[in-house]
Amino acid sequence: MRLDELFARQPRTLSFEFFPPKTERGWFTLEDTIEQLVPLGPDFVSVTYGAGGSTRARTREVVQHIQANTGATAMAHLTCVNATQTELRALLDEYAHAGIQNILALRGDPPKGEARFTPTDGGCAYAGDLIDLIRDDGRFAILCAAFPERHPEAPSREFDWQNLQRKLESGACAAITQCFFEPTPYFEQVAFMRKALGRPVRIIPGILPIVDWKALQRFSALCGATIPPALRERLEPLGEDRVALRKAGIACTIEFCRQLLEGGAPGIHIYALNRSTAAAEIVTALRLSGHLA
């Protein structure tokens, strides 16, 4: 199902994100994760696209596997990195022939070893250019990325939000945020977009389950997200007590999701990291509390 059609009739969604495995063991882990999470009834799932297009074939394979074996609606990520527009159009043909109808259009991170993104000659320089290309193709529902605290390379939050506005005006039917850990920047971004666009806008919060303090710091540094003082004060003293930290981290994640949903967020998109337990705990708790159907 195309996600623009789903969003038109469903005000709130649950979704998960997976990444293509690099090893045979990773495939078994992913398959097990999918088997555990799909019965929770996600409205869609997404599959990432490796740096430099390194998982191009695997992304398609995972999306096809999910759609063929579970019946779940799946979305493929696509980036501008290391591809000309001609190559991107050929890839869209591959996706369409594989039955893929939904794409998350991203600029993408620089290839490994490069400090900054450099557009490929004949390619797309920005996610907005990729959105234009996919929109002109006409066969896909398009989603884009949002950064409540701003993209790490953006000179200001307002500059970044104006870029998101252009992406939504160009053809993206919704946005999924990068991970963040306090609700205020998200609600400020939503309010900015509603005013700028003059209409309701669907910005789905991307949720990173907190299960490890070092991993949280690493992810935050990578995407430019702030760890709120209250969260740091609660988790950092737990140090190397992995069991206590995981318990507290999941509780914090569940409470964060509740705040977002009570404030009107149109669902949650959980970065499952190819593991099922934390995501399942979060969804179960939100359903028991009535925050998710």
Side-chain angles (χ1 to χ4, degrees), residues 9-137:
R9 70 188 195 198
Q10 189 163 322
R12 180 168 285 178
T13 57
L14 166 67
S15 51
F16 300 117
E17 182 166 299
F18 306 120
F19 60 85
K22 297 180 180 180
T23 65
E24 184 176 358
R25 181 176 179 180
W27 273 103
F28 289 132
T29 300
L30 175 58
E31 288 179 341
D32 182 64
T33 299
I34 292 169
E35 289 178 3
Q36 296 297 319
L37 292 183
V38 168
L40 293 176
D43 297 286
F44 67 96
V45 302
S46 72
V47 182
T48 65
Y49 193 82
S54 59
T55 65
R56 168 176 166 170
R58 290 195 184 111
T59 296
R60 184 183 67 248
E61 290 170 11
V62 174
V63 171
Q64 286 181 286
H65 171 81
I66 291 170
Q67 294 188 152
N69 293 284
T70 72
T73 296
M75 173 175 66
H77 293 209
L78 181 60
T79 76
C80 305
V81 182
N82 288 340
T84 66
Q85 292 194 26
T86 298
E87 290 169 334
L88 288 167
R89 291 190 182 95
L91 184 56
L92 292 179
D93 284 335
E94 289 182 25
Y95 279 2
H97 293 152
I100 297 170
Q101 297 180 294
N102 306 292
I103 293 178
L104 179 64
L106 307 163
R107 188 203 69 179
D109 297 324
K112 188 175 182 179
E114 296 183 19
R116 297 187 63 83
F117 173 84
T118 301
T120 299
D121 289 342
C124 294
Y126 302 100
D129 300 329
L130 181 57
I131 289 171
D132 290 342
L133 186 148
I134 301 170
R135 181 203 61 221
D136 291 345
D137 179 280

Side-chain angles (χ1 to χ4, degrees), residues 165-204:
Q165 177 187 345
R166 288 190 288 272
K167 291 190 287 187
L168 292 166
E169 289 174 333
S170 294
C173 66
I176 297 175
T177 75
Q178 183 55 272
C179 62
F180 63 108
F181 303 100
E182 57 182 335
T184 299
Y186 169 78
F187 290 122
E188 290 175 346
Q189 183 179 56
V190 171
F192 179 96
M193 287 302 141
R194 285 175 177 167
K195 182 176 181 181
L197 295 170
R199 58 176 172 82
V201 59
R202 184 179 289 257
I203 302 177
I204 305 170

